[in-house]
Amino acid sequence: MKLRYQYRIYPTDQQKRLMSQLFGCCRVVFNDALAYCQEQYRAGNKKPSSSELSKRLTELKKTEEKEWLTEVSSVPLQQSLRDLEQSYCNFFKSCKGQRKGKKVKPPRFKKRKCKQSARFTDNGFKIYPDSNYIHLAKIGDIKVIWSRELPAVPSSVTLIKDSADRYFVSFVVEFNPKQLPENQNSVGIDLGITDFATLSNGEKIKSPQPLKKQLNRLRKLQRNLSRKQKGSKRRAVARKKLAKLHAKISDTRNDFLHKLSTKIIRENQTIVLEDLNVSGSAIRFRPNG
């Protein structure tokens, strides 16, 4: 099976500028290819193949208008085209009923202020053994915090910048999971409203409620952002403060869920959950009068 391992990185100011350039090039390549596909669709033609889009990218680099695409590594640019191809593949399968789950929408244009990413294959990065650095093509050696050991040699790495201006590297590795020792323990889990969950042994698990604890500060930052003029530097600073708070709330929630699920899985052989649509069972209160 394939697993994803994510680590925090701390690039220098020069490396941040190079990453920003790389993210911009990947975004331009993706959006340009998507616009070309939509143009062909409106003209009544079939969607261009991945090889056709790749050849078009090669010709685009030779033009004076997009000559700056050659200043970054070509590996992430080609991966952007593969991402577009995969998005269309998922969309077509969803329309034909060949894909389970919710309906997949067609690919959308990427925005500069949203989450940015660029993916390198095995020939675009290098991990130094017993070192706190990773090398990315045309960016250099970047400091990384190895919070846990990689179980195998990764096949790819994705460079990520979130909306709170934090940088991460995400690895995909092939992993053969080891079976946990068997035990005779079993547990039933009942999700609740007051308590996060109640176990069949009577244990009640409280939720950290990160959103409720930060709600007043969240409202204050949202009001502060709404007062700033669009396009101004002060609005950019206010947006970053709000994004950092959202990231803190999300990290607290994910940390709680990961630790709880790991604890339950390791302590029990059988886990029973109720078949309930939790997201559709919200209670709505109507004001009197």
Side-chain angles (χ1 to χ4, degrees):
M1 62 182 295
K2 290 186 177 181
L3 293 179
R4 184 173 292 276
Y5 284 71
Q6 183 168 292
Y7 304 88
R8 183 80 179 268
I9 60 173
Y10 295 90
T12 62
D13 292 339
Q14 175 64 18
Q15 290 172 341
K16 288 180 181 180
R17 287 190 289 268
L18 294 174
M19 291 179 184
S20 178
Q21 183 182 12
L22 175 62
F23 292 142
C25 291
C26 291
R27 186 173 61 252
V28 167
V29 169
F30 184 93
N31 291 344
D32 182 81
L34 177 57
Y36 179 70
C37 292
Q38 293 179 352
E39 180 183 345
Q40 294 299 311
Y41 172 77
R42 289 190 293 266
N45 302 324
K46 292 184 178 180
K47 188 191 80 66
S49 62
S50 56
S51 59
E52 182 181 348
L53 293 176
S54 181
K55 292 179 181 178
R56 188 171 179 273
L57 175 59
T58 304
E59 295 298 327
L60 197 64
K61 290 181 179 180
K62 298 178 182 179
T63 62
E64 184 178 354
E65 182 183 1
K66 299 292 178 62
E67 185 181 5
W68 39 267
L69 289 175
T70 59
E71 297 177 4
V72 301
S73 174
S74 61
V75 177
L77 302 185
Q78 292 293 336
Q79 293 299 319
S80 296
L81 297 181
R82 291 188 178 93
D83 291 341
L84 178 62
E85 183 70 21
Q86 186 62 45
S87 298
Y88 267 115
C89 182
N90 295 338
F91 170 64
F92 292 146
K93 287 184 177 180
S94 180
C95 293
K96 296 178 181 178
Q98 300 175 355
R99 181 182 173 89
K100 297 181 180 180
K102 296 182 179 179
K103 291 291 184 180
V104 178
K105 296 182 179 180
R108 296 182 295 178
F109 292 100
K110 293 186 176 182
K111 298 180 180 180
R112 181 173 59 88
K113 294 184 179 180
C114 297
K115 177 182 176 181
Q116 307 293 317
S117 64
R119 190 165 73 253
F120 294 82
T121 53
D122 53 0
N123 59 340
F125 72 97
K126 182 179 180 181
I127 299 177
Y128 298 114
D130 302 326
S131 175
N132 292 331
Y133 289 90
I134 177 176
H135 179 83
L136 298 180
K138 291 193 176 183
I139 295 179
D141 297 339
I142 307 172
K143 184 178 179 181
V144 57
I145 303 299
W146 301 110
S147 54
R148 51 180 175 169
E149 185 179 357
L150 281 171
V153 178
S155 58
S156 67
V157 59
T158 303
L159 179 64
I160 301 172
K161 177 187 176 184
D162 64 6
S163 57
D165 288 350
R166 300 182 302 175
Y167 294 85
F168 302 90
V169 285
S170 179
F171 299 95
V172 175
V173 297
E174 290 283 350
F175 179 69
N176 294 323
K178 296 181 180 179
Q179 189 172 3
L180 296 175
E182 294 187 6
N183 56 56
Q184 302 301 320
N185 298 335
S186 62
V187 66
I189 303 176
D190 178 29
L191 299 178
I193 298 176
T194 304
D195 299 315
F196 177 78
T198 302
L199 306 185
S200 56
N201 57 11
E203 180 184 357
K204 293 185 177 181
I205 301 174
K206 298 289 184 179
S207 173
Q209 298 182 337
L211 178 60
K212 184 177 181 180
K213 294 180 180 179
Q214 299 286 350
L215 201 55
N216 290 334
R217 177 167 171 78
L218 185 64
R219 290 169 178 167
K220 181 179 179 180
L221 292 179
Q222 288 175 335
R223 289 195 299 266
N224 187 36
L225 177 64
S226 64
R227 297 190 187 103
K228 299 296 184 290
Q229 184 178 359
K230 291 185 178 181
S232 64
K233 292 184 178 179
R234 291 187 177 182
R235 183 179 178 85
V237 173
R239 183 208 64 79
K240 187 175 179 180
K241 288 182 179 180
L242 181 60
K244 285 185 175 181
L245 182 59
H246 276 297
K248 182 178 180 180
I249 294 173
S250 178
D251 290 345
T252 304
R253 184 183 293 115
N254 290 334
D255 181 72
F256 166 74
L257 293 176
H258 288 321
K259 289 181 178 179
L260 176 61
S261 59
T262 301
K263 177 178 180 293
I264 292 175
I265 289 173
R266 290 180 176 177
E267 293 179 354
N268 299 277
Q269 184 68 27
T270 305
I271 301 174
V272 182
L273 295 170
E274 58 181 343
D275 186 11
L276 178 65
N277 182 14
V278 179
S279 60
S281 61
I283 301 176
R284 295 184 180 181
F285 294 94
R286 182 176 297 175
N288 295 331

